[in-house]
Amino acid sequence: MATLNWRTINIDLLDPESPANFSIATLSPPAPPVSASEVQGLSSQIKQLLRGGDSEGALRGALENPPYGGDAAAKEVHLATVVEILQSIKQSEMSPILSRIYNSEGGVEVLDVLMKYLYKGMSHSSKTSSASTGSMSPQPTGFSQIHARGGGEGGGQAMSVLLSWHEKLVEIAGPGSIVRVMSDRRTV
């Protein structure tokens, strides 16, 4: 009799078509490395477009060059740039800009990148607001009041802008954009 316990054999390793036999790194395309200084330079060019009044060009420029291969600092700089652009665009201009981008060449991919930044911005603002809500200050009445330091309105205003963009984006691009963003392994 053999001393090998057949119940411990991983038969998936013996099957050449098994998902255990390929690298998970092949699921996402390779992204070229991007330094924080490159993202900083791109950010200054985009802000120059924004100051010149070309908000659609600034938005398109930011969304066509996401730093997939960048480190966390580069991604944070780019996120701040995108959120600044989104906050500078009037609500009445949102739908026309999104429609023009959607109908242009590669527009679906550009709007998917925008959806990634909306979700990243929402998660970023909720982290900062939840970190600041833990402060308590004693009141003269003996009760404690829990509130955010520094007013706390900046995160709420940014969240409102991001939610407005999300509503308009789903209206234009459809719910498929959400599914594509959730299943994409590349992060912004």
Side-chain angles (χ1 to χ4, degrees):
M1 288 271 33
T3 60
L4 182 65
N5 186 355
W6 58 271
R7 292 184 182 119
T8 61
I9 296 174
N10 186 356
I11 60 169
D12 287 333
L13 293 177
L14 303 174
D15 182 14
E17 299 295 320
S18 171
N21 291 326
F22 70 87
S23 171
I24 198 162
T26 61
L27 295 177
S28 61
V34 180
S35 68
S37 62
E38 290 177 277
V39 174
Q40 199 69 287
L42 177 66
S43 175
S44 64
Q45 290 175 356
I46 290 170
K47 287 178 183 178
Q48 195 70 3
L49 281 172
L50 193 59
R51 281 191 291 273
D54 186 12
S55 55
E56 182 177 350
L59 181 62
R60 185 179 284 279
L63 297 177
E64 287 178 348
N65 301 304
Y68 287 130
D71 59 350
K75 290 181 178 187
E76 287 297 320
V77 167
H78 204 69
L79 172 66
T81 304
V82 171
V83 170
E84 181 180 342
I85 293 167
L86 294 177
Q87 288 178 333
S88 70
I89 297 174
K90 297 176 190 168
Q91 191 162 7
S92 61
E93 298 173 356
M94 287 181 188
S95 292
I97 287 174
L98 290 174
S99 294
R100 286 192 296 270
I101 291 174
Y102 182 73
N103 293 326
S104 67
E105 173 120 12
V108 174
E109 290 83 13
V110 172
L111 292 183
D112 287 350
V113 172
L114 175 59
M115 185 68 80
K116 287 180 185 182
Y117 277 109
L118 292 177
Y119 286 137
K120 175 93 175 211
M122 286 181 213
S123 71
H124 187 266
S125 67
S126 69
K127 285 179 189 173
T128 57
S129 66
S130 67
S132 64
T133 57
S135 63
M136 292 179 30
S137 65
Q139 300 296 313
T141 59
F143 295 106
S144 295
Q145 181 178 2
I146 299 174
H147 60 79
R149 297 279 178 193
E153 290 299 316
Q157 182 182 8
M159 182 66 82
S160 174
V161 169
L162 295 174
L163 287 171
S164 296
W165 276 97
H166 186 273
E167 176 189 6
K168 300 292 183 187
L169 184 56
V170 171
E171 191 177 293
I172 303 276
S177 179
I178 297 170
V179 174
R180 288 187 297 273
V181 166
M182 294 296 175
S183 63
D184 194 356
R185 298 184 71 82
R186 299 171 296 173
T187 58
V188 292

